[in-house]
Amino acid sequence: MAYNPLSEAEKTFILHGVQDDFRNDGRSRRDYRPMEFETNVITSASGSTRFCLANSDIIVGIKPEIDVPLSNRPNEGKIDFFVDCSANALLDFEGRGGEELALEISNCLRLAYSAAESFDLKALCILPKHQCWKLFVDILILQCSGNLYDAISFAVKCALFNTRIPRVSSALLDGGNVDLTLSDDPLDCDRLNVESAPLLVTTCRIGDQCVVDPSTEEEICSTGSIVIGVSQDKVTLLKTISGSFHPETLENSIDLAVNTALKINTKLLSALKEEEKKIGPSIRHHKSSFLM
Amino acid sequence: MTSNIKINLLIDKPKYTADLGDNNYRVFTPGESITEQKDFMRGHGTYVENGEIKSSVVGVVKKINKLISVIPMKSKYTGEIGDVVVGRVTEIQKKRWKIDTNSRLDSVLLISSINLPGGELRRRNAEDEQSMRKLLQEEDLLSAEVQNVFVDGSLSLHTRSLKYGKLSQGILVSVSPSLIKRRKTHFHNLPCGVSIIIGNNGYVWVSPTVNVELEGQGGFTQNLEAVSKTDREMIVRIKNCILALSSCYVMIYDTSIMLAYEESLKYEPKDLLNQDIMYEVGFNAKQRLLMVNQ
């Protein structure tokens, strides 16, 4: 990703640090850097979040639109991801530089969310075979300091939690034409169940050990990294970004990822509920810290 | 084995406002008028419009007699002769290395301005130039001194002293060059077993203290043996302290680093990643620094 060269000696230092279970910022191999988020930062979107993982800074906005379901999945809605790598985050993203990475991340999310165990797309169906909601998830990377996949997946989950879809009060099929009536009250809306929405956890192999939440420097030193999608306790996605894994290492890193994802899931959900409790039931709260 | 995961809410985040001590400092924004009086001269970071001197960068005003300049908060490094810098080799060219020193243009290190290992005299032949990569490779880090500043602002470096040369194991911390305080010496062996090189260019090198008598050969060798865990903990702590200082806009030099280090001792090194602890350490160090300076 980012071109941030390291000399041989610096790489050795990082490698020994990982072996000692004491990384370059004092974390152990299983630690994440501190995360912060705020939901409902974009008033024009149905759901939004700003998520920070150390210096990685991500904004997600979600807008629902009415669409026709796929013929092979007549009673499911749709979800689509679009990632935009801003050149403010990294100079390499300038022009079309970030396109490849953006496509890779959005494909990864698409795959993770299409798994049956992960996200209940049936909730997005309005009238089987005829009408469903399609969620457009727009992700903007404002700053990047390693571990983008994880941060983005956490941010998407927060934004989905925050999403409010207008309630359909009646849906009638009138000679092939669908007649929808949406509720007039803006507060009358449906929420999504995000308990099992997938989290992506990247594990990075440095030397013989695997670490989670690699910093940019650690990403350079890694001999292999793999993105593992976890929905509650089920693995829904495996995607190698670089390098190759020995079956045993792979198993270890999957264990590591599942354990970490479980913890993150509980913490994330409780943080989301706590925030909601603080803000109260209103949809709009005065934005407090965005772009502070 | 437990993993440490922290998720905070941004709405809970206290707002930190920069405490500038005495209120003599005011931050000017680009386009802001500094003075309308005619008898001032404009310096760096300013321009003249309709007879007014205006700031062209974000920063604080510095007045020297009739000269008004604005020192930017965040900038690239502009070198001065005699500065100690830490840099990274980006390219090897004929008879010179190109070094990234956080300036607008890459600096040059001529092969004639280094000391060969073991004090050997250089033979000026082609073989010598071909073996440049043996001394310094691309992406290697080195410490050097600014020998000359060219008209375009790019720097010429030299390492003609035993204290300069290639850097071995350690961590590079990058802060804003305007936060580095110019001092008599920029090489420090801190009492906690850590050596730091505070480059004037904002690159700070934190490494374990090595025995000078064993390694003082002009510094083109690298020691790749594992660093002990106690040393590593100290290095990481110092690194996190420097980052805490820079997040609070405290000048970075040996005293401020040691004060921040003392403030940080009640926390684990990894706790210093949390922003509130980071600010606490930075602000406490700042307060103590003000007391020391009075």
PDB file of all heavy atoms in Angstrom, chain B residues 244-258:
ATOM      1  N   ALA B 244       3.517  12.077  22.359  1.00  0.00           N
ATOM      2  CA  ALA B 244       2.627  12.804  23.270  1.00  0.00           C
ATOM      3  C   ALA B 244       3.011  14.277  23.301  1.00  0.00           C
ATOM      4  O   ALA B 244       2.150  15.157  23.250  1.00  0.00           O
ATOM      5  CB  ALA B 244       2.698  12.200  24.669  1.00  0.00           C
ATOM      6  N   LEU B 245       4.322  14.554  23.368  1.00  0.00           N
ATOM      7  CA  LEU B 245       4.780  15.945  23.383  1.00  0.00           C
ATOM      8  C   LEU B 245       4.361  16.649  22.101  1.00  0.00           C
ATOM      9  O   LEU B 245       3.882  17.775  22.121  1.00  0.00           O
ATOM     10  CB  LEU B 245       6.308  16.001  23.523  1.00  0.00           C
ATOM     11  CG  LEU B 245       6.884  15.603  24.871  1.00  0.00           C
ATOM     12  CD1 LEU B 245       8.399  15.581  24.790  1.00  0.00           C
ATOM     13  CD2 LEU B 245       6.439  16.575  25.938  1.00  0.00           C
ATOM     14  N   SER B 246       4.530  15.958  20.984  1.00  0.00           N
ATOM     15  CA  SER B 246       4.241  16.630  19.714  1.00  0.00           C
ATOM     16  C   SER B 246       2.737  16.858  19.569  1.00  0.00           C
ATOM     17  O   SER B 246       2.318  17.827  18.959  1.00  0.00           O
ATOM     18  CB  SER B 246       4.838  15.860  18.549  1.00  0.00           C
ATOM     19  OG  SER B 246       3.864  15.171  17.838  1.00  0.00           O
ATOM     20  N   SER B 247       1.912  15.979  20.178  1.00  0.00           N
ATOM     21  CA  SER B 247       0.467  16.210  20.072  1.00  0.00           C
ATOM     22  C   SER B 247       0.036  17.387  20.925  1.00  0.00           C
ATOM     23  O   SER B 247      -1.021  17.948  20.717  1.00  0.00           O
ATOM     24  CB  SER B 247      -0.301  14.951  20.466  1.00  0.00           C
ATOM     25  OG  SER B 247      -0.215  14.756  21.840  1.00  0.00           O
ATOM     26  N   CYS B 248       0.862  17.765  21.899  1.00  0.00           N
ATOM     27  CA  CYS B 248       0.552  18.939  22.730  1.00  0.00           C
ATOM     28  C   CYS B 248       1.373  20.153  22.309  1.00  0.00           C
ATOM     29  O   CYS B 248       1.422  21.151  23.040  1.00  0.00           O
ATOM     30  CB  CYS B 248       0.822  18.646  24.199  1.00  0.00           C
ATOM     31  SG  CYS B 248      -0.239  17.399  24.864  1.00  0.00           S
ATOM     32  N   TYR B 249       2.045  20.063  21.198  1.00  0.00           N
ATOM     33  CA  TYR B 249       2.887  21.155  20.683  1.00  0.00           C
ATOM     34  C   TYR B 249       3.911  21.632  21.704  1.00  0.00           C
ATOM     35  O   TYR B 249       4.016  22.823  21.984  1.00  0.00           O
ATOM     36  CB  TYR B 249       2.033  22.336  20.207  1.00  0.00           C
ATOM     37  CG  TYR B 249       1.091  21.957  19.102  1.00  0.00           C
ATOM     38  CD1 TYR B 249      -0.249  21.735  19.334  1.00  0.00           C
ATOM     39  CD2 TYR B 249       1.568  21.791  17.801  1.00  0.00           C
ATOM     40  CE1 TYR B 249      -1.106  21.356  18.314  1.00  0.00           C
ATOM     41  CE2 TYR B 249       0.726  21.417  16.776  1.00  0.00           C
ATOM     42  CZ  TYR B 249      -0.607  21.198  17.043  1.00  0.00           C
ATOM     43  OH  TYR B 249      -1.439  20.820  16.034  1.00  0.00           O
ATOM     44  N   VAL B 250       4.615  20.701  22.314  1.00  0.00           N
ATOM     45  CA  VAL B 250       5.691  21.061  23.227  1.00  0.00           C
ATOM     46  C   VAL B 250       7.000  20.928  22.458  1.00  0.00           C
ATOM     47  O   VAL B 250       7.163  19.990  21.684  1.00  0.00           O
ATOM     48  CB  VAL B 250       5.718  20.121  24.454  1.00  0.00           C
ATOM     49  CG1 VAL B 250       6.762  20.570  25.448  1.00  0.00           C
ATOM     50  CG2 VAL B 250       4.363  20.068  25.110  1.00  0.00           C
ATOM     51  N   MET B 251       7.901  21.889  22.659  1.00  0.00           N
ATOM     52  CA  MET B 251       9.199  21.805  21.987  1.00  0.00           C
ATOM     53  C   MET B 251       9.901  20.510  22.398  1.00  0.00           C
ATOM     54  O   MET B 251       9.832  20.108  23.568  1.00  0.00           O
ATOM     55  CB  MET B 251      10.076  23.001  22.371  1.00  0.00           C
ATOM     56  CG  MET B 251       9.610  24.306  21.823  1.00  0.00           C
ATOM     57  SD  MET B 251       9.500  24.314  20.032  1.00  0.00           S
ATOM     58  CE  MET B 251      11.083  24.973  19.604  1.00  0.00           C
ATOM     59  N   ILE B 252      10.579  19.901  21.460  1.00  0.00           N
ATOM     60  CA  ILE B 252      11.186  18.614  21.745  1.00  0.00           C
ATOM     61  C   ILE B 252      12.696  18.748  21.888  1.00  0.00           C
ATOM     62  O   ILE B 252      13.384  19.158  20.954  1.00  0.00           O
ATOM     63  CB  ILE B 252      10.798  17.596  20.651  1.00  0.00           C
ATOM     64  CG1 ILE B 252       9.338  17.222  20.845  1.00  0.00           C
ATOM     65  CG2 ILE B 252      11.669  16.349  20.708  1.00  0.00           C
ATOM     66  CD1 ILE B 252       8.715  16.576  19.690  1.00  0.00           C
ATOM     67  N   TYR B 253      13.194  18.514  23.094  1.00  0.00           N
ATOM     68  CA  TYR B 253      14.625  18.452  23.353  1.00  0.00           C
ATOM     69  C   TYR B 253      14.831  17.568  24.561  1.00  0.00           C
ATOM     70  O   TYR B 253      13.862  17.056  25.123  1.00  0.00           O
ATOM     71  CB  TYR B 253      15.223  19.855  23.516  1.00  0.00           C
ATOM     72  CG  TYR B 253      14.591  20.736  24.572  1.00  0.00           C
ATOM     73  CD1 TYR B 253      15.265  21.017  25.752  1.00  0.00           C
ATOM     74  CD2 TYR B 253      13.328  21.279  24.382  1.00  0.00           C
ATOM     75  CE1 TYR B 253      14.688  21.832  26.719  1.00  0.00           C
ATOM     76  CE2 TYR B 253      12.752  22.092  25.353  1.00  0.00           C
ATOM     77  CZ  TYR B 253      13.429  22.361  26.510  1.00  0.00           C
ATOM     78  OH  TYR B 253      12.865  23.158  27.466  1.00  0.00           O
ATOM     79  N   ASP B 254      16.070  17.371  24.975  1.00  0.00           N
ATOM     80  CA  ASP B 254      16.340  16.347  25.989  1.00  0.00           C
ATOM     81  C   ASP B 254      15.548  16.558  27.286  1.00  0.00           C
ATOM     82  O   ASP B 254      14.961  15.619  27.821  1.00  0.00           O
ATOM     83  CB  ASP B 254      17.848  16.241  26.273  1.00  0.00           C
ATOM     84  CG  ASP B 254      18.482  17.597  26.548  1.00  0.00           C
ATOM     85  OD1 ASP B 254      17.898  18.590  26.096  1.00  0.00           O
ATOM     86  OD2 ASP B 254      19.527  17.645  27.195  1.00  0.00           O
ATOM     87  N   THR B 255      15.466  17.834  27.764  1.00  0.00           N
ATOM     88  CA  THR B 255      14.758  18.066  29.031  1.00  0.00           C
ATOM     89  C   THR B 255      13.286  17.704  28.920  1.00  0.00           C
ATOM     90  O   THR B 255      12.731  17.023  29.783  1.00  0.00           O
ATOM     91  CB  THR B 255      14.869  19.548  29.434  1.00  0.00           C
ATOM     92  OG1 THR B 255      16.147  20.016  29.049  1.00  0.00           O
ATOM     93  CG2 THR B 255      14.668  19.722  30.903  1.00  0.00           C
ATOM     94  N   SER B 256      12.630  18.169  27.826  1.00  0.00           N
ATOM     95  CA  SER B 256      11.194  17.917  27.725  1.00  0.00           C
ATOM     96  C   SER B 256      10.932  16.421  27.574  1.00  0.00           C
ATOM     97  O   SER B 256       9.969  15.896  28.148  1.00  0.00           O
ATOM     98  CB  SER B 256      10.598  18.692  26.550  1.00  0.00           C
ATOM     99  OG  SER B 256      11.084  18.231  25.330  1.00  0.00           O
ATOM    100  N   ILE B 257      11.793  15.730  26.870  1.00  0.00           N
ATOM    101  CA  ILE B 257      11.592  14.290  26.707  1.00  0.00           C
ATOM    102  C   ILE B 257      11.734  13.582  28.052  1.00  0.00           C
ATOM    103  O   ILE B 257      10.933  12.713  28.402  1.00  0.00           O
ATOM    104  CB  ILE B 257      12.588  13.715  25.675  1.00  0.00           C
ATOM    105  CG1 ILE B 257      12.250  14.232  24.281  1.00  0.00           C
ATOM    106  CG2 ILE B 257      12.542  12.183  25.672  1.00  0.00           C
ATOM    107  CD1 ILE B 257      13.217  13.846  23.221  1.00  0.00           C
ATOM    108  N   MET B 258      12.736  14.006  28.851  1.00  0.00           N
ATOM    109  CA  MET B 258      12.929  13.360  30.151  1.00  0.00           C
ATOM    110  C   MET B 258      11.741  13.649  31.085  1.00  0.00           C
ATOM    111  O   MET B 258      11.302  12.776  31.824  1.00  0.00           O
ATOM    112  CB  MET B 258      14.222  13.837  30.817  1.00  0.00           C
ATOM    113  CG  MET B 258      15.445  13.021  30.482  1.00  0.00           C
ATOM    114  SD  MET B 258      15.133  11.281  30.204  1.00  0.00           S
ATOM    115  CE  MET B 258      15.055  10.661  31.863  1.00  0.00           C
TER     116      MET B 258
END
